[in-house]
C-alpha cells in the first residue's frame, strides 16, 4: 500500500543518516576534546566516560541515547568551563 511505502522510505532515510555527521554532535565532541586537553586527571576521567557513552550511542544510531549522552556531556563541560579556571587547567 502507499502508506507502507512511505513508512519504509522513512525508515530507509533514517538508516542513511549518520548522527556522527550532525553538526551539533560534532561540535560537542570537538568541545570535549578541547576541554579534555585543558583538564586535570579527575575531570579527564569523567569526560572520557561521557565521550565513550556518546560514541556508543552514535555507533548504534540510537537517537534517544545520543540526546541523553550529549546532554550529560554538555552539562559536564559547562561545569568544568565555568568552574575556577586554575582548578581545571593543567
Amino acid at each position: 500500500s502507499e502508506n507502507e511505502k512511505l513508512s519504509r522510505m522513512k525508515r530507509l532515510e533514517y538508516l542513511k543518516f549518520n548522527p556522527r555527521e550532525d553538526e551539533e554532535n560534532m561540535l560537542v565532541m570537538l568541545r570535549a576534546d578541547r576541554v579534555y586537553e585543558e583538564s586535570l586527571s579527575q575531570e579527564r576521567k569523567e569526560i572520557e566516560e561521557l565521550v565513550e557513552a556518546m560514541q556508543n550511542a552514535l555507533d548504534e544510531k540510537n537517537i534517544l541515547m545520543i540526546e541523553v549522552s550529549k546532554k550529560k556531556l554538555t552539562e559536564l563541560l559547562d561545569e568544568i568551563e565555568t568552574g575556577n579556571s586554575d582548578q581545571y587547567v593543567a
Side-chain angles (χ1 to χ4, degrees):
S1 74
E2 193 63 33
N3 287 339
E4 221 174 79
K5 286 180 187 178
L6 290 173
S7 175
R8 288 183 184 180
M9 291 301 287
K10 263 188 161 178
R11 277 190 261 153
L12 287 174
E13 285 178 25
Y14 173 74
L15 292 173
K16 287 172 54 177
F17 171 73
N18 188 342
R20 287 188 180 277
E21 295 174 5
D22 179 73
E23 184 177 2
E24 187 178 342
N25 293 338
M26 289 191 307
L27 291 174
V28 169
M29 296 301 274
L30 289 171
R31 181 179 175 207
D33 285 341
R34 180 184 51 78
V35 174
Y36 178 87
E37 291 299 322
E38 298 171 352
S39 299
L40 298 173
S41 63
Q42 181 58 37
E43 289 80 23
R44 283 184 171 198
K45 288 179 186 177
E46 293 176 56
I47 293 169
E48 283 176 5
E49 290 173 5
L50 293 178
V51 165
E52 184 177 331
M54 186 162 174
Q55 287 175 338
N56 290 338
L58 289 168
D59 289 342
E60 294 175 15
K61 296 184 180 180
N62 183 326
I63 300 298
L64 178 61
M65 291 308 300
I66 291 170
E67 292 305 315
V68 169
S69 61
K70 180 171 32 181
K71 182 179 184 215
K72 287 181 181 180
L73 180 56
T74 300
E75 288 173 355
L76 176 64
L77 298 174
D78 289 345
E79 182 182 308
I80 291 172
E81 288 181 324
T82 59
N84 187 355
S85 63
D86 58 1
Q87 179 183 352
Y88 295 108
V89 176

